[in-house]
Every structure is written in C-alpha cells, then in structure tokens.
Amino acid sequence: MTALTGLAKRRLFWPVVALLALLAGDLVASPAFFSIELRDGHLYGNLIDILKNGAPLILIAIGMTLVIATRGIDLSVGAVVAISGSLACLWIAEHPGGVGATLVAVGLALGLSLVLGAWNGWLVAALGIQPIIATLILMVAGRGIAQLISGGQIITITSAPYEWIGSGFVLTLPSAILIALAVFVLASLLVRRSALGLLVEAVGGNPEASRLAGLRSARLTWLVYVFCALCAGIAGLMISANVHSADANHAGLFIELDAILAVVVGGTQLTGGRFSVGGAVIGALLIQTLTTTVYALGIPPEAIMLFKAVVVLAVCLLQSPAFRRKLRRRRAPRPGQPAPAPAPEKVEVTA
Amino acid sequence: MTTLDRVRGYRPKQRHLPILATMALLVGAYVFGASSYEAFGSGQVVLDLFINNAFLLVVAVGMTFVILTGGIDLSVGSVVALSTVVSGDLMQKHGWPAYAAIAVVLVVGALLGAGMGALIHFFEIQPFIATLIGMFFARGLCYTISTEAYSIDNPTIATLAQTQIPLGGELHISISVVVALVVVAVAVYVLAFTHFGRTVYSIGGNAQSAMLMGLKTGRTKIAVYTISGLCSALGGLLLVLYKSSGDPLNGVGLELTAIAAVVIGGTILTGGSGYVLGTVLGIMVLGIIQTLITFDGTLNSWWTSIITGALLFVFIVLQRLVTRRTR
C-alpha cells in the first residue's frame, strides 16, 4: 500500500495512468485498435501510427519543456515548422537529386531554424521582452516568411531520401519516431547527466537570483529558445516529408498549443523552475493517442475538440493537488460513502 | 517659475510611461500615414479604426481585467465564435427574437468565464491551461452546433448594424462604437474607483498579501474571468453586427491579438500594473498597422503578415527602450 501511495506521488504517475486508461478504453471499444502487422518488413497498425504521427509533437514538446522551464513560452514553433518545411522542399524541388540534395536541404532548413531561435532568444534574453509577446512577433510574421519562401504555393516534391525523414522505416520501426527518440535521449542526457538541467531550473526558479549567483542566465535563456526552434525545425522536416509537400499556411498550425498542453499534462508547471522532459513525451503521446482514438472510433470530427477538452480537463484535475485534497476532505467524514465521480461533475462546471 | 520652466521640468509619472510611449508611437504612425497618403488625414480614418475594431476593443477590455490579476484568458476567440454561432442558430434556425438571443449569448459567455474562473480558483489549475481547455471546449461547441456559417438577416440586427450616428461634417460612427466606449468607460470606473478594482490590482501585485490583507481574492478571481467571458460574448455580438453572420471559424487567433493589444498598451503580463486606456491605445496601434497596410494596397497576403510582425516588433522594442532608459 505504501509503495502504491509512493508511486501515486511520482510526477509521471497520473499522465501514465491517463494514457493507459485511454488505451484500455480503445481496447474495450475496438479490439482491432491494437493489431499490429508486419508488411514488407515494416510494422503497421494504430499504435505504430500514434508513434509515427506523434513524432513531430514529441519533438516540439521536448523543446517547449526547456523553454517553459525557464519561465518562458514559445508561440512561434508552428511558424518555424512551416518555414523549415518550405525551405527544405523548395531546395529539393529546384535541385532534384539524391542524398546530397536532401542533406543540403536539411542543413539549410535547420540552419534557418537556428537563426529564428536565436532571434527569439535575443528578444527575450537581451531586450527583456516578455516571452509570449516576443515569440508572438515570429508567430505573426513567420507564416508570411514561409509563404514568401514557397511563393504562396504548396510545393510538392518527390525525393525518396527526403521522404524517409517522415515516412521511412529502420529495422521495421518508423524513422520519424527514431529521430524523436534520439533527440529525447540527447536532451535527457544533457539535462540530467550534466549540470545544464540544474542551471535551467535555477534560471526558471528565480532569474535574478541565479544571475547574482553567477549564472549566465541570459545565455542559457538564449540557448533554450535556439534548442526549441531546432526541435521545431526537425518537426517541420518530418511533417513536410510525411506528406511529400510543404504547405506554408497549414503546416504546424496550432501545434504550439498542443505542445504546451503536452508539457503541462506531463507535469511541468508554466511558472518555471521544475520540468520533466519524459513527462512532455508522455503528454505528447497522450494527445496523439486522443486524436488517433477519435478517428479510429469514428467519433464525428466536430466533436474532437470537445473530447480533447474533457480528457485534458480530467487529467489536469487528477494532477491538481487542490482537487485531490478536496476529494479527500469530502470523503473523510463519511468513510462508508462511495467517492463522488470527479470527471463528469467538473465538465458541467465548464459548461 | 515660468510656464516654460514648468513644461521643461515636466516629468511623467513612472507608471504612465508605457502608455505615453504608446501614445507617441501612435501619433507618429498617424502623422506618417497622413503625410504618405492624402485620404489618411481625414478624421473618418480614426473613427473607422473604432468602427472596425469595436468588437476587439470590448474583448480586450475583458482581457485587461484578467491580465491585471496576473492571469491570462486564451478562450476569448472561441467564445467570440461561439457567440456568433449561438446567435445565428437561435435567430436563423429557431426564429428567436434578437434580444432574447442576445440575452442567452451573454449568459453563456459569463457562465463559461465563471466556470474557468472556478477551475482556476478552486482546483488551482493554471490560468493558461484552464482557459486553453475553455478554448477547445468553446470551439468544440461551435462545431457541434454547426459546421457551417449562418447568414443572419434578423431585422433588429440589421437595423442595429446599419444605424449610423452622425458626428457633424462627413463623420459618423456605428452603434458598436458606442457600446464599446460605454464598456471602456465602465471598466475605467470600476478599476480606478471601486473596491473591486483595487482588489484586482492587488491580486496582480501579490496574491498572497492580498489574501492576507483579508481581500476576497477567490471571488475576485472568478469575477474577472466571468467579466472576460461576458466581454467576449458581447464582442461576439458586435462581430455579428459587423459581419451579419455567425461562423464557427470566427475569431481564430483573436486571443493573441487581444493579449498583444493589452501588452502594447503597457499592461505587464505578471499583473498589477496597467490601464484600460492603454488597452484602447493598443487596439489603435494594431488597427493603424492594418490601416497603413490597406492604404498601401500593393502588398499581397504574405507581405502583410511579415510587415505586421515587423511593425509589432518596432512598437514593442521602442516602447521597451523608452521605458528602460528612464528607469
């Protein structure tokens, strides 16, 4: 019992429970949801789709976690996704070729993403503009830049090496998820095996105090925005490679909100200071599972947003210490009574 | 001491600096526009700023209350859309009289706001997330009610929409502008002269001390989100007047425009400092950027968004530099 209560206090417990509950619901509603088959040496199935289609969101959520850990927020990731995809596709469309052209395209797109991240970081760290407003500038201008690059057209391309980034397979697994996994491992090592994570937490906890303690907090702040933009840039490559085209208007639309949701569902506070990269990955998987579930169960697309609101609300309530305290207090005087059902009751509050 | 000395010796109060900076930039932009384009100088351009942005102004006033407490409301765009869809549904599909529909819309907006406020206060869910959930919820309701736009031809709405109030000369304003200005006046009064207004500022300054001082912080927090929901619903109704339609796609990204207006107007996102009049100026800044681009007329859609971003950058950085130098 004590082991169980200890487990319940772990930060990742509730997101994992929510994810498992959602998957269990899928199992009950449609057992075929879990079928995975091997075709031409590649794995296919809903679960693999969740991993493959969720890879861009996972990447962005990882970057966003570090930004949020410094008390920031990055609204421009959707625009960076569009810009990176447009630039890479433009290069490939104009220089058809094999692996070489793809490498140049990837290099150009990621290079530009780094520049955009540095721009965000400069506004926040050097000019001291509030992050939400600083990144709003690129969010507004970014789609325009992406359209400028693509000339207002949807660029369609055919390039096997480039498409591999989005829809290729390595050892039966989708390459997109392996790329996301690599970034996750890298980020986890950096923040947990070096002092970097501690420094980021210090800056997020109290920027002024950490500066006085001798941390180069401006440089760290700069770094997290660059990293976040780089993650968004890779995600942009994946998204455009997956659909063989770059759509400046719609690629990565509202992905910033999904990413922020994923980070928060994963147990990172928006007030900065404490963060969990693993939690963000779980959160992103939860959101992607939600979307896949909605399609797999044939729920009308109009209801997707309602469904999402209700599930996210339930997860946030479960995680909220205040909510759990209130539940316990209500239950305590009459131990014989069954606990009140939490989720439906709260849904009515929102309505 | 001569008048001239007094003018020379004038130092604006520190807390008024951001607003003054925005005002100076606004005047600068207007003078630039008037000298570049002949028609820009007519007074109607300024009045049109109000006419075109009346709904946004009302939404941003609600947002000002929320941001002053240190919160944020991401649901406003969706609530605006929900208001237009609900009014379209009630009036066009069910033939309700306009005023009954308006009442329902306002109640729905206020209830949504109160619900989010309750989540934030009772369950300590962060405002960003609670209102993001509200955003999905309201937008989801829009699509569940209708996936297509309603064209609204209710006679009362048409009369309200077409009435022009002459101001002498060629100048005129719409009823929406009057509504928006009344909302602004009420908000200014409430924030500057009432107990409730002072509580809003003190929560933004330091919620803990406000609570220890015995202020009703919980009630006030729920109230500001209710006000924001109500203002968004009213903004949605003004949008119905402006466009004569209800569309589930209305107001996408509106929340960020409103937040930008509030911040450009000198309110800081951590709360506790700022003015409704600053928000009015913020709306004017965004409006004048749009107007300058419209008057140029040669820009295609992507240059429009790039230049909007660039001008936003210029305004924010100039304001930042002005306020920093005097510190």
Side-chain angles (χ1 to χ4, degrees):
Chain A
M1 192 60 203
T2 28
L4 203 64
T5 15
L7 195 66
K9 280 189 182 132
R10 294 287 292 268
R11 223 179 316 165
L12 291 186
F13 179 75
W14 287 111
V16 172
V17 166
L19 182 57
L20 292 180
L22 195 59
L23 288 173
D26 285 329
L27 186 63
V28 174
S30 133
F33 192 85
F34 283 90
S35 71
I36 294 177
E37 51 180 299
L38 196 66
R39 240 184 282 156
D40 307 330
H42 303 154
L43 288 176
Y44 285 93
N46 278 323
L47 290 183
I48 302 295
D49 273 353
I50 291 175
L51 290 176
K52 187 178 132 197
N53 297 334
L57 184 59
I58 291 175
L59 274 174
I60 294 175
I62 293 171
M64 187 71 83
T65 309
L66 292 185
V67 169
I68 289 179
T70 63
R71 275 196 199 178
I73 203 152
D74 190 346
L75 294 181
S76 70
V77 286
V80 176
V81 162
I83 293 173
S84 151
S86 297
L87 185 59
C89 288
L90 180 72
W91 181 267
I92 289 176
E94 289 185 351
H95 302 81
V99 182
T102 301
L103 283 180
V104 176
V106 168
L108 280 176
L110 295 187
L112 184 56
S113 304
L114 290 176
V115 171
L116 295 172
W119 158 265
N120 281 334
W122 178 66
L123 290 179
V124 176
L127 293 188
I129 297 172
Q130 308 180 57
I132 195 170
I133 297 299
T135 53
L136 182 70
I137 296 173
L138 187 54
M139 185 195 188
V140 171
R143 298 227 166 250
I145 297 174
Q147 277 179 306
L148 188 68
I149 291 172
S150 64
Q153 307 286 319
I154 295 178
I155 306 177
T156 314
I157 51 154
T158 42
S159 160
Y162 186 69
E163 284 156 19
W164 178 86
I165 302 172
S167 44
F169 285 86
V170 178
L171 297 175
T172 74
L173 281 172
S175 48
I177 194 62
L178 294 175
I179 296 173
L181 186 69
V183 172
F184 169 65
V185 170
L186 185 75
S188 305
L189 284 178
L190 275 178
V191 298
R192 291 294 172 228
R193 288 282 168 263
S194 79
L196 203 60
L198 194 66
L199 300 184
V200 167
E201 281 188 352
V203 170
N206 190 336
E208 188 59 18
S210 55
R211 193 183 62 79
L212 293 174
L215 294 188
R216 304 224 175 133
S217 55
R219 204 172 62 180
L220 268 173
T221 309
W222 207 312
L223 199 65
V224 291
Y225 284 93
V226 172
F227 178 68
C228 185
L230 180 66
C231 289
I234 304 175
L237 296 177
M238 270 180 198
I239 290 173
S240 62
N242 199 20
V243 294
H244 318 310
S245 64
D247 182 350
N249 275 324
H250 298 105
L253 202 59
F254 299 124
I255 205 164
E256 56 278 347
L257 293 180
D258 273 346
I260 295 167
L261 264 189
V263 172
V264 172
V265 165
T268 299
Q269 292 269 316
L270 284 172
T271 41
R274 288 185 167 226
F275 67 96
S276 161
V277 177
V281 173
I282 307 262
L285 282 175
L286 179 68
I287 287 170
Q288 190 62 42
T289 310
L290 210 56
T291 315
T292 310
T293 302
V294 167
Y295 288 121
L297 299 189
I299 296 173
E302 301 92 73
I304 290 180
M305 288 192 127
L306 272 181
F307 191 63
K308 209 165 172 179
V310 172
V311 173
V312 172
L313 179 62
V315 177
C316 286
L317 281 179
L318 282 174
Q319 276 184 313
S320 147
F323 179 72
R324 292 210 296 269
R325 220 164 34 233
K326 286 198 170 74
L327 264 191
R328 220 172 300 142
R329 203 178 302 152
R330 199 170 297 170
R331 214 163 21 176
R334 280 170 290 165
Q337 297 282 326
E345 184 189 311
K346 287 320 151 238
V347 172
E348 277 166 34
V349 172
T350 339
Chain B
M1 195 174 173
T2 64
T3 317
L4 195 63
D5 284 338
R6 240 191 331 252
V7 172
R8 276 205 196 119
Y10 171 75
R11 287 280 175 277
K13 283 185 185 163
Q14 181 72 46
R15 61 201 166 103
H16 292 157
L17 266 179
I19 286 198
L20 289 173
T22 307
M23 186 120 65
L25 288 168
L26 197 58
V27 171
Y30 182 73
V31 169
F32 170 77
S35 60
S36 311
Y37 314 102
E38 202 182 324
F40 201 94
S42 82
Q44 190 60 39
V45 167
V46 177
L47 295 179
D48 281 344
L49 279 183
F50 279 102
I51 293 175
N52 297 334
N53 294 303
F55 75 99
L56 187 56
L57 186 54
V58 173
V59 173
V61 166
M63 183 72 82
T64 311
F65 275 85
V66 173
I67 292 184
L68 280 176
T69 65
I72 201 159
D73 189 348
L74 295 180
S75 71
V76 294
S78 302
V79 176
V80 163
L82 184 63
S83 305
T84 68
V85 171
V86 168
S87 17
D89 192 65
L90 291 180
M91 288 190 280
Q92 292 305 122
K93 208 164 147 201
H94 296 99
W96 282 38
Y99 289 108
I102 289 174
V104 169
V105 164
L106 292 178
V107 169
V108 168
L111 280 181
L112 272 171
M116 287 180 280
L119 281 180
I120 292 163
H121 172 59
F122 290 116
F123 302 123
E124 292 164 20
I125 293 181
Q126 305 172 55
F128 197 100
I129 295 306
T131 58
L132 191 57
I133 294 172
M135 174 190 187
F136 285 136
F137 187 80
R139 188 70 70 182
L141 278 183
C142 284
Y143 289 125
T144 322
I145 294 172
S146 166
T147 47
E148 279 164 28
Y150 296 93
S151 164
I152 297 175
D153 55 8
N154 182 296
T156 319
I157 296 291
T159 318
L160 286 176
Q162 282 154 14
T163 308
Q164 288 190 345
I165 303 166
L167 291 180
E170 298 278 291
L171 308 177
H172 60 85
I173 53 173
S174 64
I175 288 190
S176 301
V177 177
V178 177
V179 173
L181 292 180
V182 169
V183 170
V184 168
V186 171
V188 166
Y189 173 77
V190 167
L191 281 174
F193 300 113
T194 64
H195 182 77
F196 175 77
R198 284 192 292 277
T199 312
V200 167
Y201 278 102
S202 56
I203 291 178
N206 188 332
Q208 190 76 20
S209 355
M211 202 182 66
L212 294 175
M213 272 162 64
L215 296 176
K216 304 260 186 284
T217 53
R219 197 184 291 176
T220 310
K221 258 193 212 166
I222 296 178
V224 292
Y225 289 95
T226 313
I227 290 171
S228 180
L230 190 64
C231 283
S232 310
L234 185 57
L237 291 171
L238 295 186
L239 192 60
V240 167
L241 289 188
Y242 187 69
K243 291 171 90 174
S244 295
S245 70
D247 188 340
L249 287 171
N250 269 331
V252 171
L254 188 75
E255 51 283 339
L256 294 170
T257 317
I259 294 169
V262 174
V263 173
I264 291 174
T267 303
I268 55 171
L269 279 173
T270 42
S273 146
Y275 299 94
V276 174
L277 288 180
T279 301
V280 177
L281 292 178
I283 295 285
M284 301 289 279
V285 165
L286 295 179
I288 213 159
I289 290 177
Q290 279 301 319
T291 313
L292 280 173
I293 289 171
T294 318
F295 265 77
D296 183 80
T298 58
L299 299 172
N300 57 23
S301 70
W302 55 86
W303 276 113
T304 304
S305 62
I306 293 175
I307 291 186
T308 309
L311 289 176
L312 201 57
F313 168 71
V314 169
F315 268 95
I316 292 166
V317 169
L318 280 181
Q319 193 201 45
R320 175 79 197 156
L321 292 179
V322 169
T323 48
R324 183 189 263 179
R325 185 169 303 148
T326 47
R327 205 160 274 164

